[in-house]
Amino acid sequence: MHNQDNNSLSTNLSGGGSDNALPAILIGGVPNAGKSVLTYNLTQKLRAQEVPHYVLRANPDGEGDWSMKGWDSENVRLLRKQAHQEWSDTFRELVSQAIRNRRLPLIVDIGGSPREADIPILDACTHTILLLKDGEEQANEKWRYYTERTGLTLFAELRSDLNGTSELTERIPVIRGTIAGLNSDKALRCEVFEALIERIKNLFGPFNDAELEKMHMGQVPNNTTSISLTRELRKFGRKQAEWNTNLLKRFLPNVSTQYPLALYGRGPSWLYGVLALHAGTQQPFHQFDPRFKKGWIQALKLETSDTFEISQGAITLEQHVHKDTWMLTVLLKIGYIDYELDMQQLVFPKPPAGYGVIIDGKLPLWLFTSLARLYAGLEVPWIAFNDANTDQTDRAFVIYSKVPQYYSIGSRVPLLA
């Protein structure tokens, strides 16, 4: 059972297993109620207030922060369509494992409608926010049944009225009412939403951002240069993950290349890519991932082949070539990829000689950094990431360049159709 309040939470923050004291809030509810939009608004507000957490999109439907920020982007619409996958037992196992292994408080967007096979995912969480809809009582009752069955503490039960008016009817012990506006990329501003934010802050409050960072940074591998992106931003007077080219130019020259780097904190994939290559590809690159029990993982050493398969293991590959540019789009078959098992079986293509490389796809950061190091090791002229979180114009961000007169780090290049 998960019925525990802040005062009874264990101080064991080591992560992993059913004794994990860190809260995990499940965003559940009927289809098309606005769960992904609510999740996006919650995390944006919590980030602005520096509340430590991580959003786990436990739904392979192509939704996420990247798709919200790139709402009108043609490439985002394409990636959302390509990323939509049916759930599999393997996917469920990987997601429930990631939730149990959490190293930060979680907000979990499960999407869809729960089934018996989804019990391990729900059971790995601790609390729930339910988004229900009038006229869909059977689906509403199904969600209530599964969250009660798995012992989730009901945090809030709200009626979603996409085009109506928000109204808060109850604040304690459960937040109840109607929430509107969960059908666009406009920021939520209503009493119901503010009540949710305050309750989440109280729940996550015992897990102070500074204390969590201190604990995690204390586990950095030996003989590395550790970097906290949050602390680096504060040096520039920024509180949120507002990395841009100007900040990068001021920050990068001060990063030592003497030892392998260990990177901690929220940042865009292009920033991780730049730093993964900063000290060269011969040194390990460590990055913190709150979905892993051990926390710290390394960018992997990947293999290339002239005889690779388009469809293999957990991924499907697409290639596009135009003039001097080669774009590789990596699609995850089940919406998730296993760091330790799947990657041992995958082989990636080599680009045409002399071509710049664009890496495209809805991928975990560790796969972005691993692919960056793979292609940098092949001495390609330049590498760019398509990161829809920070670029809504269907242009990729250059993270590496041997030809700065044509392609400098931070410049943008158009994606290939």
Side-chain angles (χ1 to χ4, degrees), residues 126-169:
T126 60
H127 296 71
T128 186
I129 296 173
L130 291 184
L131 285 179
L132 310 178
K133 293 181 72 174
D134 289 333
E136 299 190 25
E137 294 309 316
Q138 185 174 356
N140 295 341
E141 285 303 316
K142 187 176 183 180
W143 266 106
R144 291 192 186 101
Y145 167 75
Y146 276 105
T147 55
E148 290 174 3
R149 175 178 165 182
T150 50
L152 296 176
T153 299
L154 183 61
F155 198 75
E157 183 176 300
L158 303 172
R159 295 278 168 166
S160 175
D161 187 351
L162 300 182
N163 300 305
T165 302
S166 297
E167 180 184 9
L168 180 66
T169 59

Side-chain angles (χ1 to χ4, degrees), residues 98-110:
I99 297 172
R100 292 183 184 280
N101 287 341
R102 62 191 178 274
R103 303 299 303 272
L104 288 173
L106 290 187
I107 295 177
V108 182
D109 179 6
I110 191 174

Side-chain angles (χ1 to χ4, degrees), residues 308-360:
F308 75 98
E309 295 182 3
I310 295 295
S311 179
Q312 50 177 309
I315 64 173
T316 298
L317 302 173
E318 294 181 358
Q319 299 182 78
H320 299 276
V321 177
H322 181 68
K323 294 183 179 180
D324 63 348
T325 301
W326 176 78
M327 187 170 83
L328 177 69
T329 299
V330 184
L331 303 173
L332 307 184
K333 288 184 177 179
I334 64 169
Y336 212 88
I337 189 166
D338 189 282
Y339 171 80
E340 295 177 336
L341 298 179
D342 290 329
M343 297 310 298
Q344 298 176 8
Q345 308 167 12
L346 302 183
V347 177
F348 292 88
K350 295 178 181 178
Y355 279 55
V357 173
I358 296 176
I359 298 171
D360 177 47

Side-chain angles (χ1 to χ4, degrees), residues 125-329:
C125 298
T126 60
H127 296 71
T128 186
I129 296 173
L130 291 184
L131 285 179
L132 310 178
K133 293 181 72 174
D134 289 333
E136 299 190 25
E137 294 309 316
Q138 185 174 356
N140 295 341
E141 285 303 316
K142 187 176 183 180
W143 266 106
R144 291 192 186 101
Y145 167 75
Y146 276 105
T147 55
E148 290 174 3
R149 175 178 165 182
T150 50
L152 296 176
T153 299
L154 183 61
F155 198 75
E157 183 176 300
L158 303 172
R159 295 278 168 166
S160 175
D161 187 351
L162 300 182
N163 300 305
T165 302
S166 297
E167 180 184 9
L168 180 66
T169 59
E170 183 178 331
R171 191 182 295 267
I172 298 175
V174 177
I175 298 172
R176 300 183 189 276
T178 299
I179 188 165
L182 298 179
N183 57 345
S184 75
D185 58 346
K186 295 180 180 178
L188 291 176
R189 293 184 176 87
C190 64
E191 188 178 11
V192 178
F193 179 70
E194 294 304 324
L196 287 176
I197 289 295
E198 287 306 309
R199 187 69 62 85
I200 293 174
K201 287 171 59 178
N202 290 336
L203 181 65
F204 289 179
F207 307 101
N208 178 273
D209 189 28
E211 292 178 357
L212 285 171
E213 179 177 314
K214 181 180 179 180
M215 181 188 71
H216 295 148
M217 294 295 274
Q219 299 165 348
V220 170
N222 294 329
N223 300 317
T224 60
T225 297
S226 59
I227 299 173
S228 164
L229 293 178
T230 300
R231 276 186 281 170
E232 294 300 328
L233 278 175
R234 286 177 181 148
K235 293 178 182 178
F236 299 114
R238 306 293 184 91
K239 292 184 178 181
Q240 298 187 60
E242 298 174 344
W243 288 95
N244 55 44
T245 304
N246 291 332
L247 285 183
L248 179 65
K249 290 178 179 178
R250 297 167 61 188
F251 162 64
L252 199 58
N254 298 316
V255 178
S256 171
T257 59
Q258 182 177 0
Y259 299 105
L261 297 183
L263 191 59
Y264 180 88
R266 191 188 310 280
S269 63
W270 59 259
L271 179 61
Y272 269 75
V274 169
L275 290 168
L277 301 178
H278 182 64
T281 59
Q282 299 305 309
Q283 300 217 66
F285 176 74
H286 305 272
Q287 55 196 99
F288 185 84
D289 192 315
R291 298 169 299 175
F292 291 85
K293 184 175 182 179
K294 55 187 178 182
W296 290 97
I297 60 175
Q298 288 189 44
L300 297 172
K301 293 183 178 180
L302 305 177
E303 300 292 332
T304 61
S305 172
D306 293 324
T307 58
F308 75 98
E309 295 182 3
I310 295 295
S311 179
Q312 50 177 309
I315 64 173
T316 298
L317 302 173
E318 294 181 358
Q319 299 182 78
H320 299 276
V321 177
H322 181 68
K323 294 183 179 180
D324 63 348
T325 301
W326 176 78
M327 187 170 83
L328 177 69
T329 299

